[in-house]
Amino acid sequence: MSAAFALNKGPEASQQDFLLSVEDLTVSFDGFKAVDSLSFYVEENEIRVIIGPNGAGKTTVLDLICGRTQSTKGSIKFRGKELTALKEHQIVHSGVGRKFQNPSIYEDLTVFENLELSFPRGRNVVGALLFKRDHEVISRVEEVAEMIFLKDLLQTEAAILSHGQKQWLEIGMLLIQSPELLMLDEPVAGMSVSERIKTAELLNKIIKDHSVIVIEHDMKFVKDIAHRVTVLHQGKVLSEGSMEHVQNDPKVVEVYLGH
Ligand code: ADP
Ligand code: MG
């Protein structure tokens, strides 16, 4: 299913053509470089998958992009805007949404209420006071619920959803904010096979209007979604390219896929 993806736009292409440009990014924890002079570039409407052994620095890369962790060195440009100087909420406001490994939904609220709460207008105090369940909100909630396979469960309490449905709800809570870039850390961990297939479907649908960075271990899932794959090892890019390219790269087989 992975689309042919043209990264090489020719000599006239500049950094401005990339949605996200990460360059020479480094973070040092007490002298240990979890991310070490890392550079990679993500295009619009691309699904980039980051793979690599445990401890490679994958989650830390997302922490750096979303401003949760401060970089020691390097640059992260999103639509040409430097993110390393911004606070977490400013980065969210710039259009970067992040989903963490464990779902953080409101268990005692319904699917509808969880999505409604994430709708941008409800977010600040003034917005919350003026907030009404008007037509715009309801239709947007329904639209997102349909995308995440929960349209028939809008009035269901989130607590009784399956693990996979909770993961979808959290993706929906990001989608409803219409970020340009979504970052997902191991979204299919703990999902059933059919849930994994539907999640691949969901991601392939949403890249029509978004770009996505996904960290994942399930190679079948990676194959179903990745336009390009970046293999991280010891905080650096070990290999990068199509799924076929990285799968056949002896370095990748040695440190990751061979295990
Ligand atoms: P991955 O997601 O690829 O499994 P991580 O990004 O979680 O790897 O971690 C990369 C390395 O950085 C690990 O050795 C981890 O222990 C270390 N690390 C991550 N965050 C911190 C932190 N806040 N302080 C110290 N070490 C950290
Ligand atoms: Mg991780």
Side-chain angles (χ1 to χ4, degrees), residues 47-206:
I47 303 182
R48 172 67 54 92
V49 181
I50 301 177
I51 63 172
N54 282 330
K58 305 180 298 295
T59 297
T60 305
V61 170
L62 298 198
D63 288 343
L64 288 163
I65 296 170
C66 78
R68 205 181 209 213
T69 297
Q70 200 62 43
S71 61
T72 310
K73 187 166 74 100
S75 153
I76 303 168
K77 286 208 175 72
F78 180 69
R79 288 209 176 287
K81 182 183 189 182
E82 183 60 52
L83 296 187
T84 50
L86 302 183
K87 302 243 182 300
E88 251 183 298
H89 70 272
Q90 295 172 310
I91 293 171
V92 170
H93 201 78
S94 305
V96 179
R98 158 84 181 274
K99 183 192 168 310
F100 292 90
Q101 260 168 282
N102 299 312
S104 54
I105 55 173
Y106 300 97
E107 297 259 340
D108 52 346
L109 298 182
T110 64
V111 169
F112 185 98
E113 289 164 338
N114 269 282
L115 290 171
E116 182 189 37
L117 268 179
S118 305
F119 189 80
R121 281 188 356 191
R123 260 189 290 183
N124 61 50
V125 177
V126 177
L129 288 174
L130 299 173
F131 189 72
K132 289 201 190 81
R133 279 191 188 185
D134 63 12
H135 187 72
E136 188 196 353
V137 183
I138 294 171
S139 66
R140 181 74 180 130
V141 167
E142 285 175 352
E143 182 185 29
V144 170
E146 173 134 44
M147 275 196 266
I148 59 172
F149 319 108
L150 297 177
K151 186 132 193 229
D152 296 335
L153 297 174
L154 277 170
Q155 299 313 323
T156 300
E157 214 174 275
I160 66 170
L161 297 175
S162 73
H163 171 77
Q165 289 170 328
K166 287 180 185 176
Q167 299 277 339
W168 291 337
L169 177 55
E170 208 188 356
I171 294 173
M173 290 163 73
L174 278 181
L175 281 177
I176 205 161
Q177 299 171 39
S178 304
E180 285 182 89
L181 174 66
L182 269 94
M183 303 195 294
L184 310 174
D185 200 346
E186 303 191 16
V188 301
M191 280 190 184
S192 68
V193 173
S194 68
E195 286 173 337
R196 283 169 194 235
I197 291 168
K198 286 174 92 171
T199 305
E201 226 175 80
L202 167 64
L203 296 187
N204 281 311
K205 225 186 304 169
I206 67 178

Side-chain angles (χ1 to χ4, degrees), residues 51-53 216-220 222-223 229 231-232 238-239 242-259:
I51 63 172
E216 200 37 78
H217 289 290
D218 176 346
M219 296 313 285
K220 160 86 177 72
V222 174
K223 205 176 237 163
V229 178
V231 187
L232 273 195
L238 181 69
S239 184
S242 66
M243 181 71 180
E244 293 78 73
H245 172 81
V246 301
Q247 259 184 324
N248 293 309
D249 183 336
K251 296 191 302 272
V252 178
V253 174
E254 187 189 329
V255 309
Y256 185 57
L257 294 175
H259 293 267

Side-chain angles (χ1 to χ4, degrees), residues 13-26:
S14 76
Q15 266 202 49
Q16 298 305 315
D17 291 327
F18 295 110
L19 181 68
L20 182 79
S21 301
V22 171
E23 293 195 318
D24 198 25
L25 189 66
T26 301

